[in-house]
Amino acid sequence: MTLKDYDTVWLDREIREVKYIDQSKLPGELVIKSVQNLDDIRNAIVDLEVRGAPAIGVFAALSMYVLSVRIGGDSMADFVKEYVRCSDYLQSARPTAVNLSWALSIMRAELERFTLHRFEAYLLDPNLSDIELDDELRGYIGNVLLKKAIEIYENDIDVCRSLGKNGVSIINAGDRILTYCNAGRLAAVRYGTATAPIYLADESGLNISVYCAETRPLLQGARLTAYELSESGIKTTLICDNMVASLMSQGMIDKVIVGCDRVAANGDVANKIGTNGLAVIAKHYNIPFYVCAPMSSIDLSVKTGAEIVIEQRKDIEVTDMWYKTRMAPQGINVYNPAFDVTNHELITAIITENGVVRQGDGFLVAATK
Ligand code: MRU
């Protein structure tokens, strides 16, 4: 079995567990894991075994179903209280990608829709404590949450396919494309965001080639993008992050296509740390810079990128990981933000499943119509 034989995350309906490719083991080993309890689920996100904005969202939705069927208690109120606790705990796993809270809030709203319809009660209504949670009621709730979680999972596949179709319109024959981090199939369920147009362009015989920048400190470009693109037979070249300006100055890059973790209402984009630098360099060399964003990554509640919370991660990702011995003096201060914000003025267009929104089109106002 190879990567292509699996989705990145999926539900095993029989045992009611969430399965996923453990991305922390790639590219060395293709390991499939299965989870069903809250700590294991949250740790899978925190430890980047499941990573990439859309994949985290789908994983969270499937997980809430899996957790819900294991919640004990005798009353509807006990069930809801525990459901909300699990959901809030998962939400705290990673702050920057909006897809996590997006998926959790859809699942929560679905549960609330059920309680409103059946008991005319909002989720935390104390009257729910008078309602006994028998097997029949458990069955109904399970079905409601299962249906919604599967909808989110299937929606991701459809969205990435549509995004790919829209994105292929900006690719020309022979293009040499730079991508960054991993916004590929491993970051979503099946096709990826930034890689969806790349896969389609390749299938259409456009003879494209891709440069992956390795993406310090966690090397998602080297470990994941270089792996999945080369496995697909796409002409792929790996470069260090600090080589980008050199390649651009020599006319070796025709366009940049990246993914995103959250898009603000003005079109500013939070993405993997280093993205902003790429965009600045691309602007200098007059190279178009595209961001692929499913609508679920667009957060109109934040006006500009300045409001987006940037996740800070552990020092050892910079000082120790991937090295045989530590590569920095003991006790050195480390600053390790996992994401940065690229100003909308540096972005040529945002590609969504609904269309390509170019700079000057009024950005997301157009995309959200
Ligand atoms: O920290 P990660 O690996 O979860 O980072 C997310 C990303 O992979 C990127 O920022 C990516 O480009 C967006 S996910 C489609």
Side-chain angles (χ1 to χ4, degrees), residues 23 48 50-56 94 97 180-184 187-188 192-194 218 220 224 258-261 270-273 275 292 294 297 311 313 338-339:
Q23 300 192 42
L48 308 187
V50 176
R51 52 144 296 284
I56 295 171
R94 295 193 76 190
Y180 190 61
C181 190
N182 176 271
T193 57
L218 289 175
Q220 290 94 331
L224 306 175
V258 296
C260 70
D261 292 87
N271 192 47
K272 182 54 56 193
I273 187 74
T275 306
C292 291
S297 295
E311 176 183 4
R313 293 189 61 92
F339 301 92

Side-chain angles (χ1 to χ4, degrees), residues 78-320:
D78 291 345
F79 174 88
V80 166
K81 207 169 140 210
E82 181 59 6
Y83 182 95
V84 169
R85 185 187 76 83
C86 294
S87 176
D88 289 349
Y89 188 54
L90 282 193
Q91 175 141 2
S92 69
R94 295 193 76 190
T96 305
V98 69
N99 308 60
L100 177 59
S101 51
W102 170 84
L104 291 170
S105 61
I106 291 177
M107 292 297 286
R108 184 174 165 152
E110 193 61 7
L111 182 60
E112 183 148 81
R113 203 189 53 74
F114 176 81
T115 58
L116 277 172
H117 177 75
R118 199 164 160 117
F119 307 116
E120 292 181 3
Y122 287 98
L123 270 197
L124 296 171
D125 189 323
N127 290 334
L128 289 177
S129 51
D130 298 335
I131 296 162
E132 190 198 336
L133 188 64
D134 58 17
D135 287 350
E136 193 187 1
L137 185 51
R138 280 185 178 281
Y140 281 130
I141 297 171
N143 284 342
V144 163
L145 294 176
L146 172 66
K147 201 162 154 249
K148 196 38 93 178
I150 294 294
E151 196 180 300
I152 291 173
Y153 160 87
E154 287 174 347
N155 183 52
D156 180 84
I157 298 171
D158 293 345
V159 159
C160 290
R161 208 188 282 121
S162 305
L163 191 155
K165 282 186 191 149
N166 291 333
V168 84
S169 65
I170 59 105
I171 298 181
N172 300 315
D175 266 354
R176 294 151 305 168
I177 299 164
L178 173 73
T179 190
Y180 190 61
C181 190
N182 176 271
R185 54 181 301 130
L186 290 161
V189 173
R190 201 173 290 174
Y191 300 108
T193 57
T195 54
I198 292 175
Y199 287 128
L200 283 182
D202 182 63
E203 275 163 37
S204 327
L206 287 180
N207 192 30
I208 50 151
S209 52
V210 180
Y211 286 95
C212 309
E214 60 182 352
T215 318
R216 281 276 296 154
L218 289 175
L219 305 181
Q220 290 94 331
R223 294 188 303 111
L224 306 175
T225 310
Y227 170 64
E228 65 162 86
L229 290 182
S230 53
E231 280 259 306
S232 309
I234 292 173
K235 229 182 290 165
T236 307
T237 306
L238 177 64
I239 57 170
C240 299
D241 299 335
N242 55 7
M243 296 171 186
V244 166
S246 167
L247 269 76
M248 287 186 176
S249 72
Q250 294 174 69
M252 291 169 70
I253 306 287
D254 297 301
K255 54 195 46 138
V256 183
I257 308 181
V258 296
C260 70
D261 292 87
R262 193 184 293 242
V263 182
N266 70 338
D268 290 352
V269 165
N271 192 47
K272 182 54 56 193
I273 187 74
T275 306
N276 184 33
L278 295 186
V280 170
I281 301 169
K283 181 86 167 178
H284 179 80
Y285 290 109
N286 210 15
I287 293 168
F289 189 93
Y290 296 97
V291 173
C292 291
M295 296 300 292
S296 56
S297 295
I298 296 173
D299 183 359
L300 296 178
S301 75
V302 296
K303 288 196 195 68
T304 73
E307 291 173 34
I308 298 174
V309 176
I310 301 293
E311 176 183 4
Q312 298 288 330
R313 293 189 61 92
K314 290 185 195 140
D315 296 8
I316 55 155
E317 293 179 353
V318 177
T319 53
D320 294 65

Side-chain angles (χ1 to χ4, degrees), residues 13 31 92 141 217 327 357:
R13 289 193 196 212
V31 175
S92 69
I141 297 171
M327 274 300 148
V357 188

